[in-house]
Structures are given as C-alpha cells and as structure tokens.
Amino acid sequence: MDLVSFSWETRPLTILRAQPRLGHPDAPAAGFGLLIGGGPAAAESGATFSARDPFLEQDWGQVALASPRDVDAAVRAANRAFADGRWSGMLAGERARILLRLADLIERDAALLTSQQVFENGKLVSEMLPGTTALAGDCRFFAGLAETHGGMTVPPTRHGFTTFTLKEPIGVVGAITPWNTPLGLLGWKLFPALAAGNTIVIKPSEITPTSTLMLAQLCLEAGVPPGVVNVVTGGSETGAALVEHPDVAKIAFTGSTATGQAIASRAALRSARVTLELGGKSPQVVFADADLDRAVNGVMAGIFAATGQSCMAGSRVLVEDQVFDRFCDMLAERGSSMIAGDPLDPQTQLGPLASKAQLEKVLSYFAIAAAEGLECVTGSHRLERTGYFVAPTVYRDVPPDSRIAREEIFGPVVALFRFRNEEEAVVLANDTAFGLAAGIWTQDVGRAHRLLHRIRAGTIWVNNYRIIGHTLPFGGYSQSGTGREMGAHALDAYTETKSVWVDTGNDLEFRTGQQEI
Ligand code: NAD
C-alpha cells in the first residue's frame, strides 16, 4: 500500500469533488497509514478497511487497521515524547507559538480539511466550512491559555511555610472521537491537551479517519515535535486497546452513551482520568408567545441540520397547546421542502446520513414508530436516490414513554409533544435520561429565566439553538457525559494539580500530631 502522508505533493489527491477525486474511476485509490512517532506507518498486520463516501455510496480509499500492537507502538512513541520533555519541557509560550502556527495552517487548508470531512461523513459543506474555520479560533483560544494556566500561591495554614500549587501535564492522552464532527470534536481535546504539555494518541471514528490524519500532519508542519501527536485508525477494538493501555493517563471520549459508559468502567480499573461527551435527547420548548417563524428556524437547525446527526440535536419539541397544530404544520411544510443533494453543493439543505449502519439505524426507528402507532406528519422513509438519505421526519403527540421519545436516534427525526402550562413543560423537558442541551422559545423574559434555571442540561439556548463557541464550556448532565470541554477551565481536565509546601526555616521544631493525615 502506498501511504498517503499528506505531504504537499500528495495533497492534490484530496481536492474537491469537481476535480478528479479519490474514488473517481480516473483517480488512484489512496492508502492511508497510521501516524506514529512523526511518520506514516502501515498496520503491522497489513490489514486495512475502506473509507466510503455516503453520498456516492462508493469506497474511495483504504485505511490501515491498527491492532493492539500498533496501538502499543503509538502509545510508546507518545510516552517517549512525553518523558524526554521535547514538548512538556518547552516554555508554555513556545508551545503557544506553535499552536498559533497550527491555527494559521488550519485556515490555509480549511477548504481541504472541509472537503475531506464531507467525503467521509456527507455533512454539508455549508456547515462544515464555518466549523473548520472555527477550529482555527479554538486552537488560538487554547494557545492563549497555555501561558496563563498556572497554579496559584495560597495563604499557608501554618507559620513558616510558603504554599502554592503547580499545574502539570498528565502524560499521554488517548482521544477517541466520533464521526459527526470529526475535527471540531477532536480540536476540543487536541488543543487543550497540547497547550498543557501532554502528548496524545488519537483514535478517530472508523468512518472519518483521514481528516484526522490530515490535521495531525498539520501539527507536524506547525512544529509540534514528532511523537507528540500520533493517530491510530480502526474501530472499537483499536479504541479498546487504547483505553486498556497502562501508559495512557487520560481518556478523552466523545461518542455514544453506551460506549462512553463501557470506556469509563474500563478506565476506572486503572484509575485513568476520563472525560466523556455523550449523547442527548434534547428538548426545545416553544411557548405560544414565541416568534413562531424564528422558533421553526431554530427547531429546523436543531434537528434537520447535519441530518440530525448532532449530539445536541433538539429531537424532542414541546409546543404549547394553543399553537401546537400551527407549529406542527409549519415544521412539516419546511421539513418536507428541504433540498436534498450533494453535500458539496452550497445550495443543498439535507445531506445523507454518514454511513449504511446509521441509515439502517434510522430506518429501524421508522419501523419502531410504525409499530408503536405514532402519528407521522411527514417523512418516515428513505429517499429514492443514491446516497444514504432519509426524509426529514415529524411525529406528533408522541407518548412520553415511546422509544421515539426516549432514545437518541441521531437522524432527522423529531417528536412533538403538547403542553398546557409552564410546569408541564418543565416536567416534560426533564423527562429524559440525558441532559446535554435545551432550547426555550418565548418573548417573556421572566419565563425564560425561570425555565433556564429549572431545565437540567449543560447548555441552554434562549430564542436560538445549536450555537457554540470556545469561550463557553460544553458538556452534559447525567447520561450526557462527565466533565466539560472548551471554556477557560478546559485545561484543568488536561493537567494534574500539585500542592507544594516549602518550609522557609522559621520553625524548625519537630512537628507531629498537628493535622497530618
Ligand atoms: P460510538 O460510541 O459508536 O463511537 C465513538 C468512538 O468510539 C469511535 O471512534 C469508535 O470507534 C470508538 N469505540 C467504539 N467502541 C469502543 C470501545 N469499546 N472502546 C473504545 N472505543 C470504542 O459513537 P459514534 O456513532 O461515532 O458517534 C455518535 C454518538 O456520539 C452519538 O451518541 C452522539 O450523541 C455522540 N456525540 C456526542 C457529542 C457531545 O459533545 N456530547 C458530540 C458528538 C457526538
């Protein structure tokens, strides 16, 4: 297999669909290796898996399938890079300068990084491009924090001491990411991990491995020393090997709740640090006094954008009784007239689902809804065209205990519920095992404030939805996760805190029995 290491010469292979492209009969099939110790490597077994375009339903490349031995090689490389201080030993300002260069490179290659992700998961270029640009901003944010994230001097509790804390990198971070926003969600882990001086082994989703390799290559170009950023590609076995590896000090995971819980329990056995960003079944609460046109837009953005494949999808929409029927008609009309098509076409509004497995999952929920006797307003079928497309789907008056109401579908499928008063809205909104996000639509500012305190979710949007930015933390309550990513405190999740007592020599008597533990 000829390995693509994303050097300048190989870059034309990854250019936009309009040009001869990966998978095109005229283009050479590409092979993608692992990135270990700063260079591309084949899997030791020689095994590969296919990269597939969900819009064309075509394979366009072969990707190395990392075994536990490959994972071990990557972790050893990361461990060596951590131990010799080539990164952690740099001044924080030097690391910041390299991260700022990386941000510039991300901007330089934004179109390439974007199209690569679109080939992988079919997400619309109109959404992916701003996301890639935002990635550069995220990188700069953490570059800025590198020099300011320090410990603090604290008043000593005994005479004769100086006491302070130090913030130190944890060691080797294992980052495991999903396919829906491959680079955005990687950046939330990679940038703070690097800013704090850690090294990293990344296990991207098997559906979106190549864009991650591309970003890792940019890290090298920016001046991140070899071995600091490593990538192992593969599926659950590759990820499990990373979780089990004794030299991985922290696992940063984004993905489904079931996988996250399994990972957390394995990591707990060896006291590895863990942060989890998991699934959701987020409510949007629409009151009768809301600007309904804006609310429909927000609900569309919440559940039909990204073809519903978003952790923060607003998949449960609670509408006040007086406007329920009108809102339902507005949403059905807008949803059913969305333009489905090529995700690289800026006019397209609805892209394919990211994989055949995801298509089958969503279709299985259509069957569940039919079996549960749910009232379908629009959708509930596959689109008759090439690509893993399904119709935007609306179910109304969904019983709160139905599976459509309770389970994360990760597709353009929305359940509408009716409520009669504020109290009922709060009870319905909180009637979920998740707690990632919520939207509130009302023109009554007092009501908005009452609800934003009472709804249990990590992010609340009032009269908007699905907006994020690096200055605010993101994460979930209950089964939506553990810890927060982004925001000024994100570096805490990538550092250990060391407390230091310096005896200043003023009090030399032998101390015992005084609050020691
Ligand atoms: P997934 O849990 O199937 O896979 C996520 C990652 O974990 C992949 O890289 C996968 O290969 C790996 N993996 C699978 N089994 C593993 C194991 N046993 N050990 C180690 N690694 C393993 O999730 P997905 O289908 O890729 O992504 C969709 C899910 O991600 C949805 O549930 C969505 O809500 C969630 N998500 C959450 C957020 C958030 O910020 N909260 C953001 C995006 C996606």
Side-chain angles (χ1 to χ4, degrees):
M1 180 170 67
D2 287 335
L3 299 180
V4 176
S5 67
F6 294 109
S7 66
W8 177 251
E9 298 72 42
T10 56
R11 237 183 250 167
L13 275 178
T14 62
I15 309 242
L16 297 170
R17 180 169 280 135
Q19 310 188 20
R21 57 188 289 269
L22 298 173
H24 188 281
D26 300 336
F32 298 87
L34 314 171
L35 185 74
I36 297 179
E44 54 131 41
S45 68
T48 62
F49 61 98
S50 299
R52 190 166 178 79
D53 185 323
F55 171 62
L56 299 176
E57 295 188 48
Q58 278 177 17
D59 292 348
W60 50 264
Q62 288 297 308
V63 185
L65 177 60
S67 68
R69 285 168 66 124
D70 296 311
V71 172
D72 180 56
V75 174
R76 275 190 286 116
N79 216 358
R80 272 194 304 277
F82 183 71
D84 68 17
R86 72 186 81 165
W87 184 247
S88 61
M90 274 185 189
L91 290 174
E94 290 175 48
R95 289 200 298 270
R97 234 187 1 257
I98 291 171
L99 286 175
L100 290 174
R101 254 198 316 269
L102 175 60
D104 291 343
L105 296 179
I106 290 169
E107 270 174 356
R108 183 196 71 189
D109 285 1
L112 291 165
L113 293 166
T114 298
S115 59
Q116 195 70 22
Q117 292 176 89
V118 174
F119 295 151
E120 291 181 323
N121 70 3
K123 201 163 166 179
L124 302 187
V125 71
S126 52
E127 177 158 14
M128 204 60 104
L129 187 57
T132 310
T133 312
L135 190 66
D138 299 347
C139 188
R140 292 193 180 103
F141 176 73
F142 285 109
L145 290 179
E147 277 194 293
T148 57
H149 188 76
M152 61 196 289
T153 305
V154 294
T157 50
R158 300 223 187 143
H159 290 294
F161 286 91
T162 300
T163 47
F164 56 92
T165 61
L166 296 172
K167 294 285 185 184
E168 296 182 344
I170 299 176
V172 178
V173 171
I176 301 178
T177 52
W179 43 261
N180 59 330
T181 309
L183 297 187
L185 294 167
L186 171 58
W188 292 12
K189 300 162 181 57
L190 174 66
F191 305 145
L194 291 182
N198 300 280
T199 59
I200 192 164
V201 178
I202 304 161
K203 208 300 284 173
S205 166
E206 54 274 40
I207 295 168
T208 52
T210 63
S211 52
T212 294
L213 286 163
M214 209 164 172
L215 181 60
Q217 191 70 30
L218 288 187
C219 291
L220 286 169
E221 189 179 338
V224 176
V228 173
V229 176
N230 306 273
V231 182
V232 287
T233 46
S236 58
E237 280 180 26
T238 309
L242 190 59
V243 172
E244 301 285 343
H245 200 292
D247 293 334
V248 174
K250 182 211 160 88
I251 298 290
F253 173 80
T254 299
S256 62
T257 296
T259 306
Q261 288 173 342
I263 284 175
S265 62
R266 298 304 301 170
L269 294 177
R270 53 184 192 82
S271 300
R273 278 84 181 107
V274 174
T275 39
L276 304 173
E277 299 286 354
L278 307 177
K281 193 77 189 176
S282 298
Q284 293 233 51
V285 188
V286 182
F287 285 91
D289 70 355
D291 177 332
L292 285 197
D293 288 322
R294 289 189 59 199
V296 170
N297 278 338
V299 167
M300 300 266 299
I303 189 63
F304 296 148
T307 318
Q309 302 165 112
S310 167
C311 55
M312 61 191 95
S315 49
R316 292 184 301 135
V317 176
L318 288 39
V319 186
E320 196 165 10
D321 197 32
Q322 300 96 295
V323 293
F324 184 90
D325 289 335
R326 195 163 130 228
F327 187 87
C328 190
D329 292 346
M330 289 166 79
L331 183 62
E333 202 250 304
R334 292 280 305 280
S336 59
S337 55
M338 286 177 80
I339 303 165
D342 186 341
L344 281 176
D345 180 345
Q347 303 306 317
T348 300
Q349 296 171 328
L350 182 77
L353 293 162
S355 67
K356 191 151 183 280
Q358 194 57 26
L359 171 72
E360 280 163 3
K361 181 178 171 193
V362 174
L363 293 179
S364 79
Y365 276 99
F366 292 160
I368 290 166
E372 287 185 333
L374 298 191
E375 188 179 340
C376 175
V377 186
T378 185
S380 207
H381 57 84
R382 185 176 180 176
L383 296 186
E384 282 179 22
R385 54 175 301 149
T386 302
Y388 304 132
F389 287 89
V390 293
T393 299
V394 180
Y395 297 110
R396 58 175 285 167
D397 290 304
V398 176
D401 59 351
S402 78
R403 288 185 62 190
I404 300 297
R406 308 209 74 78
E407 296 175 14
E408 183 183 51
I409 300 172
F410 228 55
V413 182
V414 62
L416 294 192
F417 306 81
R418 196 187 288 265
F419 69 86
R420 279 161 208 83
N421 55 48
E422 203 174 300
E423 191 56 34
E424 216 173 271
V426 171
V427 171
L428 267 175
N430 286 334
D431 184 18
T432 174
F434 299 103
L436 194 60
I440 301 167
W441 297 87
T442 178
Q443 300 195 35
D444 178 340
V445 70
R447 170 188 278 157
H449 276 264
R450 285 193 297 277
L451 260 79
L452 70 86
H453 286 288
R454 294 187 66 195
I455 295 179
R456 295 185 54 75
T459 295
I460 306 272
W461 290 287
V462 177
N463 293 328
N464 69 94
Y465 200 83
R466 209 162 166 262
I467 292 177
I468 50 172
H470 47 243
T471 53
L472 276 174
F474 188 82
Y477 285 32
S478 53
Q479 291 195 20
S480 287
T482 303
R484 295 289 181 272
E485 294 189 310
M486 308 304 279
H489 297 290
L491 285 191
D492 281 336
Y494 292 89
T495 46
E496 294 284 10
T497 302
K498 180 179 278 175
S499 296
V500 183
W501 294 75
V502 178
D503 190 329
T504 54
N506 294 330
D507 173 8
L508 295 175
E509 76 185 62
F510 177 67
R511 300 179 194 88
T512 178
Q514 304 171 50
Q515 285 187 22
E516 285 87 355
I517 52 170

